[in-house]
Amino acid sequence: MDAAFSEALIALLPNLRRFALSLARRPDVADDLVQITVERAIANANSFDRSQKMDPWLFRIMRNTFIDMTRREKRAGTQIDVHEQPEVLPTDPGPGLEARLMLRSVRDAMLDLSDDQREVLHLVCVEEFSYAEAAQTLDLPIGTVMSRLSRARIALSQKLGIK
């Protein structure tokens, strides 16, 4: 693993964390996903095609890891996290309150989308992946990505009362 690979990997950590949060919906699990993804990327650095962008490769590793984790959890049965506490709504009546409330509404509405729609919406709208990059990351035809994105946008706007 060379310095350029390491620097590119480190620069993508915030993006990986955002995607992990969108998949896992829990910060502790998201942190685990990021750590496992980075470990696997480092272990498989020689298999990375340096002529390609690194983020789709990393996001695919993360998505596959999340799928594996989800399958393991289903076999393990119900588990309760005793440390989970609800977030406290900020009481600051400053100008950022409305923006924070809208952001929370969008986040909650996104969490209600199907996993397929949420993944595509996050990759294209938050991570700014092209349709082709999202298709490559999710191992889907580009038409499927476009269709899921369209349905996700419509569902999100309906949940938010925009349309």
Side-chain angles (χ1 to χ4, degrees), residues 8 12 48-59 127-130 133 136-137:
L12 290 170
F48 174 64
D49 180 1
R50 304 207 185 235
S51 68
Q52 301 291 318
K53 288 179 65 176
M54 184 181 280
D55 35 349
W57 180 68
L58 291 171
F59 278 59
E127 298 301 331
E128 299 179 352
F129 275 32
S130 69
E133 291 168 339
Q136 178 187 2
T137 301

Side-chain angles (χ1 to χ4, degrees), residues 18-25 33 62-63 66 118-119:
R18 276 194 310 269
F19 187 52
L21 282 168
S22 94
L23 291 172
R25 303 180 203 162
L33 268 174
M62 179 175 287
R63 183 174 179 266
F66 177 70
R118 189 178 57 256
E119 286 175 350

Side-chain angles (χ1 to χ4, degrees), residues 111-130:
L111 292 176
D112 287 340
L113 296 174
S114 70
D115 291 342
D116 293 340
Q117 289 179 353
R118 189 178 57 256
E119 286 175 350
V120 170
L121 188 68
H122 182 89
L123 290 175
V124 173
C125 296
V126 177
E127 298 301 331
E128 299 179 352
F129 275 32
S130 69

Side-chain angles (χ1 to χ4, degrees), residues 116-117 119-121 123-125 129-136 138 140-154:
D116 293 340
Q117 289 179 353
E119 286 175 350
V120 170
L121 188 68
L123 290 175
V124 173
C125 296
F129 275 32
S130 69
Y131 293 163
E133 291 168 339
Q136 178 187 2
L138 299 174
L140 296 171
I142 196 165
T144 303
V145 167
M146 294 168 68
S147 174
R148 286 183 185 175
L149 181 61
S150 175
R151 288 193 310 271
R153 287 176 171 159
I154 290 168

